[in-house]
Amino acid sequence: MNKKFFTNKKIILSICSIFFITITLINIDLSILKRYYNDTNIKLLLLSFLFYFISTLTRSIRWKYLFGKHSTKDWFIITSINVMSNNIYPARTGELTLFFLTEEVPKSEILSGLIITRFMDIICISSIVLLALSKSIIANINYKENLYVILIATITVLTIMMLNFSKIFTRISNFKLLPIKLKDFILVVSEYYEKHKQKTTNLLMISFIAWASKYISSYFLAINIFQTISKNFGFWEVIFGVTFSELTTVLPVHNFGGFGTYETGWALLFILLGLDGKEAYSTGFVFHVMLLLYSLILGLPSMLVYGRGGREPSP
């Protein structure tokens, strides 16, 4: 029964992935790709990569601050490989690389740290999206005040949950219906957070800088692409497009490289903002390829350094 269920599930997910890839390929306009290649603004491209680098470096500093063990240089190597893997492997399974690349850090600490930092990422993204909602033309939709209230309430609740992380997890672990192994895992995460609770504010600040840098990088890249089709979008509109696309990376239909699903997320938002289907899918494809290229530029050399044992010994 279970074997048949998982087989059917794989078939359905594969069909969905093929569908999204097909839709993307049908809507790609090769002339837009050629135009970008010929008319790209090198200065904007370099600015975009610079902030992408800063975002990766900031994430490295966050791991160093949380775990210690390695130098910032080593964490940069590990983070670059991790980001590249997340961009290539489906449904964020690239996160598993952290467990193989950080042998000196106990696996329970890595898992606990991942959960805590990803929770912080949600708070940062929600905060930035709230800013985007207040600035973007999307704020002109009906009942926008209700959306503000919902987002502000969401950020407030998430922040309170973050500050009371261990208490909430401890209470969850007391549920009688939970399996014993799950209860033990929840307690491990709770205890780890309690141990590092004094780092919460600094970790949130570092996380916000990392996400702000990534969004600035995305903005410079996006306007560079839109200039080639004579379209103009503001910073906050780009934020929505990027966020919508990034959310597709956690979907089970997000295949290797994320092709199809990423472009569809991008296209859905920018079609609402005025692009036609081919413009939306073509610009989304270029944006996606450039992000993959950024991660490869940092990730592949990092893999070579890591493979040759170029990391400093942990203290």
Side-chain angles (χ1 to χ4, degrees):
M1 179 70 179
N2 286 338
K3 187 176 180 180
K4 185 178 179 180
F5 171 78
F6 284 113
T7 301
N8 292 336
K9 184 179 178 181
K10 286 181 180 179
I11 293 172
I12 293 171
L13 293 178
S14 297
I15 292 172
C16 289
S17 296
I18 292 171
F19 171 78
F20 285 120
I21 291 172
T22 303
I23 292 294
T24 299
L25 290 175
I26 290 173
N27 283 284
I28 287 179
D29 186 340
L30 293 178
S31 66
I32 292 177
L33 272 59
K34 185 178 179 181
R35 231 179 300 164
Y36 177 74
Y37 178 77
N38 291 330
D39 302 335
T40 188
N41 186 318
I42 300 300
K43 288 183 180 179
L44 285 176
L45 201 59
L46 290 175
L47 271 174
S48 172
F49 183 74
L50 173 63
F51 278 97
Y52 184 89
F53 176 87
I54 292 172
S55 175
T56 305
L57 177 62
T58 308
R59 291 170 190 272
S60 310
I61 293 171
R62 182 171 69 173
W63 290 129
K64 167 68 176 174
Y65 182 68
L66 183 60
F67 295 128
K69 303 293 184 182
H70 304 294
S71 66
T72 302
K73 169 196 162 187
D74 291 341
W75 277 115
F76 181 80
I77 291 170
I78 292 168
T79 304
S80 296
I81 298 172
N82 174 246
V83 171
M84 180 184 68
S85 301
N86 266 330
N87 285 338
I88 295 173
Y89 296 127
R92 306 293 294 182
T93 51
E95 297 286 22
L96 296 174
T97 55
L98 279 176
F99 294 94
F100 301 106
L101 298 173
T102 54
E103 297 176 358
E104 294 85 350
V105 183
K107 299 297 181 282
S108 60
E109 288 190 19
I110 290 292
L111 188 55
S112 300
L114 265 174
I115 292 173
I116 292 167
T117 53
R118 293 305 173 249
F119 200 89
M120 291 181 176
D121 287 342
I122 293 173
I123 294 174
C124 293
I125 293 171
S126 300
S127 301
I128 293 172
V129 168
L130 176 61
L131 282 172
L133 187 64
S134 65
K135 300 290 184 180
S136 171
I137 63 169
I138 296 176
N140 292 323
I141 63 175
N142 294 331
Y143 310 112
K144 63 180 180 181
E145 292 82 3
N146 293 343
L147 287 174
Y148 293 156
V149 171
I150 291 170
L151 272 172
I152 292 172
T154 301
I155 295 169
T156 303
V157 170
L158 289 171
T159 304
I160 292 172
M161 287 177 67
M162 187 78 255
L163 296 174
N164 295 277
F165 196 89
S166 57
K167 292 180 181 178
I168 293 171
F169 264 48
T170 301
R171 289 183 180 180
I172 292 174
S173 68
N174 291 328
F175 291 168
K176 294 181 180 180
L177 297 177
L178 289 179
I180 295 176
K181 288 187 177 180
L182 182 57
K183 287 184 177 182
D184 291 340
F185 166 70
I186 291 173
L187 285 174
V188 168
V189 176
S190 175
E191 289 171 3
Y192 183 81
Y193 175 76
E194 193 62 33
K195 181 181 176 183
H196 297 277
K197 189 176 181 179
Q198 71 278 7
K199 297 180 178 180
T200 300
T201 303
N202 289 340
L203 284 171
L204 275 170
M205 290 176 62
I206 295 171
S207 299
F208 188 83
I209 293 171
W211 276 102
S213 300
K214 183 173 182 179
Y215 276 124
I216 293 171
S217 167
S218 298
Y219 172 68
F220 284 127
L221 177 57
I223 61 172
N224 189 24
I225 295 169
F226 289 133
Q227 281 180 358
T228 61
I229 59 171
S230 302
K231 299 289 183 180
N232 294 308
F233 290 103
F235 178 78
W236 300 110
E237 293 162 342
V238 171
I239 295 304
F240 267 106
V242 173
T243 303
F244 216 70
S245 302
E246 289 289 334
L247 290 175
T248 65
T249 63
V250 300
L251 297 175
V253 294
H254 189 75
N255 52 45
F256 282 90
F259 289 106
T261 50
Y262 194 96
E263 286 78 6
T264 299
W266 174 281
L268 287 174
L269 196 285
F270 282 104
I271 286 173
L272 290 175
L273 292 176
L275 294 185
D276 63 37
K278 287 191 176 296
E279 287 176 336
Y281 271 98
S282 299
T283 54
F285 178 75
V286 174
F287 186 90
H288 188 192
V289 169
M290 292 307 299
L291 280 187
L292 286 173
L293 182 60
Y294 286 179
S295 66
L296 289 171
I297 289 173
L298 295 182
L300 290 178
S302 295
M303 284 187 69
L304 291 174
V305 173
Y306 185 92
R308 292 176 179 176
R311 298 181 303 142
E312 298 172 9
S314 54

